[in-house]
Every structure is written in C-alpha cells, then in structure tokens.
C-alpha cells in the first residue's frame, strides 16, 4: 500500500524512482531531463517559488476562496475536498512582501473569475522543512482499484453489473486506440493528426484520456510559452496558469459552469486552432508533442510495471485480467464510472474517505502538512486536515488597489478531517463530474448537523 502512495507522488528535486513497463522508447528520466533542460520554463519544475517555501520550513501563507463564509463562521469548521489533492483544502500560494501578501497567478485568476467568493488567508506553521513531494492524481489508478475491490460489497449485484458492463463497453470501444498509444510509447509513430483524432474519439469511452490530454497540453503550454506574461510570472518563480485556463474554456462550452475534463476532446484541426488562439508560435508543435507525451504517460499510468508495452494489447482482453495487467487504467475507469450510480451520493464517503485516510497517514509519515498537485508544480496546493505537527490560523482577506491581500478579521474555525458532501451533475455520457476547483468551493463549508523531429534513440523531443 505504501509503495502505491510513493508511486503516486513526485519530487522534482530528486531523481526518478518509479518503475515503468518494459520497452518504452523514453524513460521517465529522459522526459524529466528534456522538460527541465530543453524547454524555456523547465527550470521551474525544480526551482519554483512554491517548493522553495516548502523546503524552507518557515510559516507559509495560502489563499482559499469560498462562497460559504457564514456557514464556516457558524460551524467553526472547514471541510476538505477530494480531487487532485485526494483530501485537502484547495489553495494557492501567497508570497509575503513588504506591501502585503501577493497572490500566485493561480490565486489571482481565482479571485478575478470568482468575484462572489470570500478570500481567506491561511497561515500554516510547519514543524520542519517540508519534503516537496506532490501527489500526481494520474498515478492514483491502482489505489482507486484497490479501494473499489475492498468496498465492492457495498454495491448491490445490479450496481456491480452496471459497472462491469460500462467498463467492458468502454474498453471494447477504445481498445484500438489504447493499443495505438502503446505502440507510439515504444517508438512506432502514428501521424500526429490521425493520433489526435483517434484520441478525441476515445475520450468519450475512456474519460481518463481526457484528463491525460488536458494535462499534457497544460504542461506543453506552461513549459514552452515565451509570452511577456509568462516571462513575468517566471521571474517570480511561477508557471503561467492562465494558459491552460484559456485552453479549457475555449475548448469546452460551459466549462465555467462545470470544469469537467471528461469533456475535453478537441480533434486535430480544433486543437491547432485552440493553441493558435493562445500562443500562435506553439500551434505547429502541439499535436506532435501530445502524440509523444501522452503515449508515454498512458503506458506508465495504465500498465503495471511488470508488463511489456511492446507486446501488450487491450484488444480482446477481459476486465478481470486487466485488473492485474493494467490496474492503473481500470482503477481510473472505475473511479469515474462509479459516480454514475444512483446511490453514489450516499456511498461517496465509503470510497473517498478510505483513500483520504491513507493519504493523510502517508503525509503524516512523510512530514507533508501541505500537499500539492505534483502532475506539475503549478501552484495547486492544499492543507492536510489531520497533520498533528503544524499550526494553522485563518483570516478573511481584503485586497488593496494594487492586488495585495491583507488579513482582515481572524476566523475562529479549524480544519477537520471530514470530506465535504458530494455533488454531481445529472447523468449524461458527456458529463461525468466536477473537478477540483469547483469542488474546492464546496469543500470549505462545514455542514451544520516545441517539438521537432525525433532525435536518435532517446526519442524525446529535441
């Protein structure tokens, strides 16, 4: 169990330690080296303002926005959300300066786009320097699967049959593309436009692919962007979050109402248009980057390390066998499909609290009171509600004319190891569930009772 949580965390200041399936054209170390050394902003993976503060071991300041300040004051409790941070209060960093607390560009985005929320300032005083290990939700598949198998008896036979049918249908419909992705991961290149179009079709059947697709493009934009805006943020040690926000809202209608990456599936022509509208210089290389990077990440996150990506096939494979061979993919599919169950609102805490408890125990052992999203250290950071060795205080915030935040009134409320109540949209094939930003607003309430050609064997974009 602990090994699974180790594999689900990334420390960009340390060499890669995860095991990977055999025959991949590039290793995780190859990609780390490329991303850090061959992209304009790659140095921010290892040396960014957020992880510098964690490693310093000094009091840190975090921003959280909420629509429910009255409920927090009444109950004197704050609950946490699930999502990319598993079970933490979703925040972004604040930098203490002489003029006040400067929001990270992610926090500035949240405040500008959510004007009806109340900003809160959290002061977290750790007991020691914090290991800069971020949880990578793309690697949580084996944990999702193990949790489901442990609590499968909570479902009725009809509910288990519904899940089985949905998984088999999704796998059958997407198997051809899943094999294409594996072939690309071992070096058998598919033309990028064809690959992207097949990917877009497969997302409807395996929604996890939409998350991979979006995260790969977010990484591409943040690491390769050279706009003045991006350079300004880089000077403060921050990756530019506005890039992928623009991408998401341009790609999916009503994404501001339901930030759901299961709906993210632009075809090739549309992908090029989207990137051209954000940063034209990056449009020509986007599809090829997705082909290489997503194929590699899919093989690593879907297959068990004991497998050989060159010989494995999804076509004709049964879900039962895939639990052993591809636990990452099956876990991610179950994690998303189970939310279609009519009783999931009642069962939610059974499955999600089990994972949160394991995460909290892992973070306590690792000395992590403030876990962050380790897919890439872009400023999504949380507060662990069951860490016994740190002090946490909270204030409402007022913002001055220059954008700095200042503590206004202290809020007499404490973080509790309790997950916020589940909310899900109506069941639709294109609408799966909210993601972290929208869940985070609910969580704070305590309910009262540039790619070129492939280079040599290493193959990583040159």
């Amino acid at each position: 169990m602990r090994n699974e949580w180790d594999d689900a965390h990334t420390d960009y200041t340390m060499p890669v330690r995860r095991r990977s399936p055999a025959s991949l054209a590039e290793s995780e170390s190859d990609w780390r080296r490329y991303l850090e050394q061959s992209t304009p902003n790659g140095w921010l993976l290892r040396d960014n303002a957020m992880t510098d503060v964690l490693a310093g071991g000094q009091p840190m300041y975090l921003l959280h926005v909420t629509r429910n300040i009255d409920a927090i004051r009444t109950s004197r409790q704050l609950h946490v959300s699930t999502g990319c941070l598993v079970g933490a209060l979703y925040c972004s960093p604040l930098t203490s300066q002489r003029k006040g607390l400067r929001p990270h560009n992610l926090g500035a985005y949240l405040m500008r786009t959510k004007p009806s929320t109340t900003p809160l300032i959290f002061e977290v005083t750790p007991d020691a320097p914090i290991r800069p290990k971020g949880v990578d939700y793309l690697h949580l598949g084996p944990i999702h699967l193990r949790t489901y198998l442990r609590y499968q008896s909570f479902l009725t036979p009809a509910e288990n049959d519904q899940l089985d049918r949905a998984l088999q249908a999704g796998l059958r419909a997407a198997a051809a593309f899943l094999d294409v992705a594996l072939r690309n991961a071992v070096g058998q290149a598919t033309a990028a436009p064809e690959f992207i179009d097949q990917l877009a079709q497969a997302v409807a059947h395996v929604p996890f692919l939409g998350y991979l697709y979006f995260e790969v493009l977010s990484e591409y934009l943040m690491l390769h962007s050279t706009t003045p805006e991006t350079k300004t943020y880089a000077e403060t040690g921050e990756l530019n979050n506005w890039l992928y926000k623009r991408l998401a809202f341009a790609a999916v209608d009503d994404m501001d109402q339901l930030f759901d990456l299961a709906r993210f599936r632009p075809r090739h022509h549309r992908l090029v248009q989207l990137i051209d509208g954000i940063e034209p210089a990056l449009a020509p290389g986007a599809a090829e980057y997705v082909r290489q990077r997503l194929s590699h990440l899919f093989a690593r996150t879907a297959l068990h390390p004991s497998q050989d990506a060159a010989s494995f096939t999804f076509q004709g494979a049964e879900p039962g066998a895939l639990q052993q061979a591809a636990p990452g993919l099956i876990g991610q599919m179950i994690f998303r499909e189970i939310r279609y169950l009519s009783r999931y609102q009642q069962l939610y805490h059974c499955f999600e609290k089990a994972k949160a408890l394991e995460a909290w125990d892992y973070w306590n052992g690792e000395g992590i009171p403030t876990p962050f999203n380790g897919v890439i250290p872009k400023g999504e950071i949380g507060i662990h509600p069951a860490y016994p060795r740190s002090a946490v205080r909270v204030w409402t915030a007022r913002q001055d004319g220059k954008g700095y935040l200042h503590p206004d009134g202290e809020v007499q409320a404490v973080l509790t190891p309790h997950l916020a109540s589940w909310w899900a949209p109506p069941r639709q094939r294109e609408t799966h569930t909210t993601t972290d930003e929208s869940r985070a607003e609910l969580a704070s309430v305590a309910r009262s009772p540039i790619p070129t050609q492939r280079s040599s064997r290493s193959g990583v974009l040159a």
Side-chain angles (χ1 to χ4, degrees):
M1 182 175 74
R2 187 171 183 81
N3 288 340
E4 289 178 343
W5 285 103
D6 275 329
D7 287 344
H9 284 75
T10 302
D11 182 346
Y12 290 94
T13 68
M14 300 290 290
V16 171
R17 295 180 178 177
R18 291 190 188 102
R19 294 187 303 140
S20 296
S23 301
L24 297 185
E26 296 93 30
S27 68
E28 186 176 2
S29 294
D30 292 333
W31 272 103
R32 175 81 67 82
R33 189 161 44 250
Y34 166 75
L35 296 175
E36 286 187 358
Q37 300 177 11
S38 301
T39 65
N41 306 309
W43 60 276
L44 287 166
L45 293 173
R46 178 183 292 268
D47 184 21
N48 60 79
M50 181 181 69
T51 54
D52 286 349
V53 170
L54 295 176
Q58 299 300 310
M60 68 186 72
Y61 296 92
L62 304 176
L63 168 68
H64 173 76
V65 297
T66 181
R67 298 181 188 276
N68 303 291
I69 186 62
D70 291 338
I72 292 170
R73 284 186 168 126
T74 298
S75 66
R76 297 193 172 192
Q77 294 183 7
L78 295 109
H79 295 175
V80 298
S81 62
T82 56
C84 71
L85 298 176
V86 184
L89 189 73
Y90 185 91
C91 300
S92 62
L94 292 165
T95 300
S96 181
Q97 297 181 340
R98 186 167 54 85
K99 298 178 181 179
L101 295 168
R102 180 182 61 79
H104 187 283
N105 72 85
L106 173 60
Y109 168 86
L110 294 175
M111 293 184 65
R112 184 177 299 182
T113 58
K114 298 181 182 296
S116 60
T117 60
T118 300
L120 299 178
I121 295 170
F122 284 82
E123 179 188 70
V124 181
T125 305
D127 61 317
I130 301 167
R131 293 192 64 182
K133 296 179 69 173
V135 60
D136 183 340
Y137 78 92
L138 300 177
H139 284 270
L140 289 175
I143 296 170
H144 294 320
L145 176 58
R146 175 169 51 77
T147 304
Y148 164 71
L149 293 175
R150 181 177 180 183
Y151 296 103
Q152 187 175 8
S153 66
F154 288 24
L155 304 181
T156 67
E159 288 168 337
N160 276 302
D161 287 345
Q162 178 181 333
L163 280 180
D164 287 344
R165 288 194 302 271
L167 256 64
Q168 291 186 45
L171 288 167
R172 281 196 302 269
F177 171 75
L178 302 181
D179 283 353
V180 166
L182 291 183
R183 300 296 83 81
N184 278 265
V186 301
Q188 301 175 25
T190 301
E194 178 185 350
F195 181 91
I196 298 300
D197 286 346
Q198 291 183 30
L199 167 62
Q201 290 179 318
V203 170
H205 307 291
V206 180
F208 175 59
L209 294 171
Y211 291 73
L212 278 174
Y213 192 3
F214 180 77
E215 293 293 354
V216 166
L217 282 171
S218 298
E219 175 188 84
Y220 176 68
L221 289 169
M222 286 187 286
L223 295 184
H224 291 82
S225 175
T226 57
T227 65
E229 175 188 68
T230 297
K231 291 178 179 178
T232 297
Y233 293 140
E235 289 172 359
T236 65
E238 300 174 6
L239 290 164
N240 184 358
N241 287 259
W242 291 75
L243 297 166
Y244 68 82
K245 297 293 187 183
R246 292 169 185 143
L247 172 68
F249 295 133
V252 181
D253 292 339
D254 300 324
M255 195 67 126
D256 58 332
Q257 302 298 316
L258 180 67
F259 197 91
D260 178 12
L261 297 179
R263 301 187 296 158
F264 185 85
R265 50 190 189 196
R267 295 174 65 86
H268 177 261
H269 178 70
R270 180 59 176 152
L271 169 63
V272 174
Q273 286 183 328
L274 289 167
I275 304 302
D276 184 70
I278 295 169
E279 191 163 342
L282 300 183
E288 178 61 16
Y289 187 89
V290 171
R291 183 193 69 79
Q292 288 195 44
R293 184 66 168 144
L294 185 142
S295 297
H296 173 81
L297 285 177
F298 172 73
R300 277 182 40 222
T301 58
L303 296 183
H304 190 274
S306 64
Q307 298 300 307
D308 186 336
S311 59
F312 189 86
T313 179
F314 283 95
Q315 297 184 71
E318 293 297 326
L322 288 176
Q323 288 184 10
Q324 303 298 320
L329 177 63
I330 299 303
Q332 294 284 3
M333 291 181 71
I334 289 174
F335 173 61
R336 286 164 176 81
E337 191 63 39
I338 198 172
R339 300 174 185 183
Y340 282 152
L341 299 178
S342 59
R343 287 197 309 128
Y344 192 64
Q345 185 171 2
Q346 289 75 47
L347 297 171
Y348 162 72
H349 286 280
C350 302
F351 291 95
E352 298 309 313
K353 188 67 171 284
K355 286 177 279 192
L357 286 168
E358 289 184 7
W360 297 337
D361 179 62
Y362 179 83
W363 294 334
N364 285 345
E366 294 291 308
I368 301 174
T370 48
F372 64 91
N373 183 354
V375 175
I376 187 169
K378 58 186 177 183
E380 292 183 313
I381 187 169
I383 305 176
H384 164 18
Y387 191 78
R389 303 186 300 276
S390 64
V392 179
R393 298 176 67 187
V394 57
W395 297 264
T396 55
R398 58 179 176 82
Q399 189 172 29
D400 65 25
K402 295 184 178 180
Y404 290 93
L405 295 179
H406 306 271
D408 195 5
E410 186 162 6
V411 179
Q412 300 301 318
V414 295
L415 277 164
T416 61
H418 184 95
L419 300 182
S421 297
W422 173 257
W423 175 85
R427 178 187 170 97
Q428 298 176 19
R429 175 42 78 181
E430 292 190 357
T431 302
H432 283 58
T433 176
T434 53
T435 51
D436 309 303
E437 187 179 300
S438 51
R439 275 197 297 267
E441 291 184 34
L442 297 173
S444 57
V445 185
R447 309 285 182 189
S448 302
I450 300 206
T452 59
Q453 298 176 356
R454 294 172 68 89
S455 64
S456 64
R457 178 63 179 84
S458 69
V460 179
L461 295 167

